[in-house]
Amino acid sequence: MLEVIVAAIAGYAFGAVWYMALSKQWVVAAGIQTDDAGKPQNASDPKPYIVAFVGALFVAGMMRHMFSMAGIDGAGKSLIAGLGLGLFVVAPWMINNVMFSDRSKSLIWMDGGYAVGGCTIIGLVLGVM
């Protein structure tokens, strides 16, 4: 269980860094309402951050379960499995959401990159622990 929590924290931290680096572009692409200072109007609402962390826990927990069932162990195998899950399972669903919602196509790279990077990091942490 500890490895799931640590992996979730790592994936969540990656997301924080990823979206801080892309914050201005993402806010515009996602059509987020901002205040006069350019900050999202819901920036002080803790719910999205809580939901994001719980989601990271779910992803890390399921990845650990899948890795165990498939005999995936060690940093290298877990990293590749996490990368594969991000690229070939999560990102395609995110691409569908962007395409069908007629949102900015740049969200494919920003949100898809987060999914791929987050799954890869979670996989690596699970493999190391």
Side-chain angles (χ1 to χ4, degrees), residues 78-101:
S78 296
L79 181 137
I80 295 300
L83 175 67
L85 287 169
L87 274 174
F88 301 112
V89 177
V90 182
W93 288 107
M94 296 179 103
I95 292 167
N96 286 342
N97 288 339
V98 169
M99 296 304 291
F100 280 102
S101 66

Side-chain angles (χ1 to χ4, degrees), residues 63-86:
M63 285 176 67
R64 183 189 69 167
H65 175 71
M66 291 171 60
F67 289 6
S68 175
M69 298 284 291
I72 298 169
D73 57 0
K77 290 179 186 177
S78 296
L79 181 137
I80 295 300
L83 175 67
L85 287 169

Side-chain angles (χ1 to χ4, degrees), residues 3-125:
E3 68 269 18
V4 169
I5 294 169
V6 173
I9 291 169
Y12 184 86
F14 170 75
V17 171
W18 181 263
Y19 283 110
M20 280 193 285
L22 298 171
S23 62
K24 289 180 182 173
Q25 300 95 313
W26 184 82
V27 164
V28 171
I32 303 296
Q33 298 294 321
T34 59
D35 62 18
D36 293 335
K39 287 188 170 186
Q41 291 180 347
N42 70 343
S44 63
D45 183 2
K47 287 188 292 283
Y49 303 98
I50 294 166
V51 169
F53 183 70
V54 170
L57 281 170
F58 287 167
V59 170
M62 181 50 73
M63 285 176 67
R64 183 189 69 167
H65 175 71
M66 291 171 60
F67 289 6
S68 175
M69 298 284 291
I72 298 169
D73 57 0
K77 290 179 186 177
S78 296
L79 181 137
I80 295 300
L83 175 67
L85 287 169
L87 274 174
F88 301 112
V89 177
V90 182
W93 288 107
M94 296 179 103
I95 292 167
N96 286 342
N97 288 339
V98 169
M99 296 304 291
F100 280 102
S101 66
D102 198 30
R103 296 169 69 199
S104 171
K105 304 313 176 250
S106 62
L107 289 171
I108 291 171
W109 302 108
M110 288 184 262
D111 293 341
Y114 164 62
V116 172
C119 285
T120 302
I121 287 170
I122 288 171
L124 176 63
V125 171

